[in-house]
Amino acid sequence: MLLCDQCPENPGCTNCLDGLKANGMGKKVIPPRPITATHLASGAKLKAELRAVSRLTIGLRTYEKWPPGRYEVELSADYRIIGSAGPSLDKQCYIVLDIEKVLRKEDILERLLLEEFHSWHLSHELEPSAILSKLGPEEEKQRELIKQELQKLSILRQLQKLYMFVWEDGQLKSLEGGHSPALNEIGEAAIAEAVEKALGSGQARREQVMSTRLHQIYDVHVLPLNERTCGVVILDVTEAVAAERERQMQEWELYRHVLALVTQGKLVLLRDQQMYQMIKKATHCFTQRIDQPTDLAGLRQKLRESLERFAFASQRVLPFIVAVNEAASNMLKYGNGGVIDLYWSEQEQKCCVVVLDQGLGMVLEELPKLTLQKGYSTRQSMGAGFQVMLQYCDKVGLNSSVFGTRMVLEIVRKKRPV
Amino acid sequence: MDFQLEEKGQLVTILLAGELDMSVSEQLGQLVRTQGRQHERIDIDFAAVSFVDSAGIGSIFFAAKELLANGKQVEIINIQEEIYDILQVLGFGEALGLTLRKAN
């Protein structure tokens, strides 16, 4: 009997089912499942693919000659089928075993329960190569590579939610069988896009994709193997990302405490909300853009005029101007300039200068050195800018992220002795 | 920033005036280096300096460091009280091993 060998692309073909002689009660195994069958009399192990099953028979696509006799087909350690085959003819590629026993976890049946088999088939992962279409011998290496890559990742699977697929000729095939829940969350279009980029560049890609409902985060890894085939792995990293965020918050709190302690409360790391609180009841006085070093003189002039208007003690004016000037110079040294705003709080009798740049931000781990260690600078300067700010301001608030650095420099007008 | 030079044999006095900030740092460093190559002793007079920042003073710092390493004599003189205080916070004299001389 000739098989079409096109499962599952040829749903109209019933050759494998007809061979079962199950009067239309058989079912195709899609995708075909590679198995090993042991010839019980000789102990010989033979490779085959399970193509069709019925309650009393199973159909196996074979690639070698099978001796007649009893066989044990191992689906998994606790799921085996014992059946017998009649003499095979030369060039016969399809063997039908008459089921004698089905050995399951706890009992032995004389029939195959099709529903049970079907759910087992869906829940037991296939080897990646099983669902790749036939490749030429020169592509065997690539098949082996995809198998190895995905097998490595299967270890990860025990640690977190991981979904594995093979992309071939525009189609995503799950290694788990059935439809993966991760696919519903992400949408196949997002994966197709990542695959397209990976295939275009020939390089492995990693992308982070939010679920369509924005409550899950997935890492999508695409490993191109040839011009049309990729291994695709989707990891649900929602919990890992949340845990990392929590860890970063704790680390940030620790730095905040330590920096405040060693500066006697002068240097304060601020969250966005706290930064807003610092200036929300204050009156805005002026804005100065700093794009080049020559803008600094204008800033100093405006600042001097404001501080004198608010009647700050004359000996405090120049030092505070120097401090603000340092913050402004830093914007030019480490970023591409930025904006400076001055606020006056009548209620708290203080001036707040908000310095906002769009530079690279400061790395949290670098903050103690940058802010406290004299002479530490990533550019050629005295590396003492922060010392000046801490020395001459009453408080320095710092909010730094990858989006840039924001600082609030505060000077409080002291009450004159009566 | 403005400056004047007063030469007496191997001594040159650079009389600086105005604000020494980032916008003049390169020019300032160059000035000190050039004079240092031509003289054995360089006095930098701060009497008319009204403002300094770490970038401006940094350029004098690196130029002076080179000159000192080459055996030249460098002094910073006539510093106004407020400016002296800023230089102290920046650690200027300390880092160079120089005594900063205030204005009388």
Side-chain angles (χ1 to χ4, degrees), chain A residues 71-232:
Chain A
Y71 285 89
E72 181 176 322
V73 175
E74 182 176 329
L75 299 174
S76 63
D78 55 5
Y79 197 15
R80 295 151 191 269
I81 297 170
I82 294 179
S84 52
S88 73
L89 302 169
D90 282 347
K91 293 183 185 168
Q92 187 173 9
C93 65
Y94 193 59
I95 299 285
V96 176
L97 292 185
D98 292 317
I99 296 174
E100 290 179 15
K101 286 187 176 67
V102 178
L103 311 175
R104 305 187 311 165
K105 232 178 225 170
E106 289 155 357
D107 50 14
I108 298 170
L109 298 178
E110 290 179 350
R111 305 263 187 283
L112 183 65
L113 302 177
L114 293 186
E115 287 307 315
E116 182 185 73
F117 173 81
H118 186 63
S119 66
W120 173 87
H121 182 51
L122 288 183
S123 63
H124 283 65
E125 204 162 83
L126 281 163
E127 282 203 341
S129 55
I131 58 170
L132 288 170
S133 63
K134 297 292 168 256
L135 301 169
E138 74 282 359
E139 285 168 310
E140 258 320 304
K141 258 189 181 173
Q142 287 166 333
R143 181 201 296 252
E144 203 44 46
L145 188 66
I146 191 171
K147 194 169 142 187
Q148 282 170 12
E149 289 296 333
L150 293 174
Q151 273 169 353
K152 269 187 240 164
L153 285 162
S154 67
I155 297 163
L156 273 177
R157 175 161 209 185
Q158 293 163 18
L159 306 173
Q160 52 192 314
K161 288 175 210 161
L162 187 144
Y163 309 93
M164 302 203 282
F165 305 84
V166 170
W167 175 279
E168 196 184 30
D169 293 333
Q171 276 201 326
L172 200 61
K173 301 168 185 177
S174 170
L175 295 190
E176 297 148 275
H179 200 71
S180 162
L183 267 191
N184 292 337
E185 293 284 346
I186 301 173
E188 215 163 302
I191 296 169
E193 203 177 307
V195 164
E196 218 164 89
K197 287 177 192 164
L199 287 177
S201 66
Q203 301 285 319
R205 278 190 78 84
R206 177 188 174 185
E207 283 189 19
Q208 215 155 62
V209 182
M210 291 287 283
S211 65
T212 47
R213 284 182 292 160
L214 304 176
H215 69 304
Q216 299 285 102
I217 305 168
Y218 294 95
D219 247 9
V220 178
H221 297 254
V222 186
L223 315 157
L225 293 152
N226 58 30
E227 286 158 6
R228 55 193 174 86
T229 315
C230 289
V232 178

Side-chain angles (χ1 to χ4, degrees), chain A residues 13 23 46 75 124 256 280 309 324 354 368 378 385 415:
Chain A
C13 170
N23 297 326
L46 299 150
L75 299 174
H124 283 65
R256 191 172 76 89
K280 91 172 174 187
R309 191 167 72 243
V324 174
V354 179
T378 48
K415 280 180 188 159

Side-chain angles (χ1 to χ4, degrees), chain A residues 293-294 296-297 300 314-315 318-319 321-322 325-326 329 332-333 374 380-385 387-388 391-392, chain B residues 19 21-23 33 50-55 57-58 61-62 82-83 85-92 94-95:
Chain A
T294 47
L296 295 169
R300 293 195 295 266
S314 61
Q315 68 271 24
L318 180 63
I321 292 173
V322 172
N325 184 88
E326 285 300 330
S329 308
L332 294 169
K333 266 194 275 181
K374 217 168 188 172
Q380 197 169 77
S381 75
M382 291 294 291
Q387 268 72 45
V388 172
Q391 179 80 19
Y392 294 146
Chain B
E19 302 183 316
D21 70 359
M22 192 186 219
S23 63
R33 277 189 186 89
S50 57
F51 179 83
V52 289
D53 70 9
S54 65
I57 208 68
F61 172 83
F62 289 107
E82 279 187 315
I83 302 296
D85 186 50
I86 299 166
L87 294 182
Q88 289 295 96
V89 175
L90 287 170
F92 180 69
E94 194 188 343

Side-chain angles (χ1 to χ4, degrees), chain B residues 56-89:
Chain B
I57 208 68
S59 64
I60 298 183
F61 172 83
F62 289 107
K65 206 172 161 185
E66 281 174 35
L67 298 179
L68 290 167
N70 290 326
K72 307 276 171 127
Q73 230 184 309
V74 181
E75 289 210 22
I76 315 289
I77 57 171
N78 284 329
I79 310 164
Q80 300 299 321
E81 185 70 40
E82 279 187 315
I83 302 296
Y84 181 84
D85 186 50
I86 299 166
L87 294 182
Q88 289 295 96
V89 175

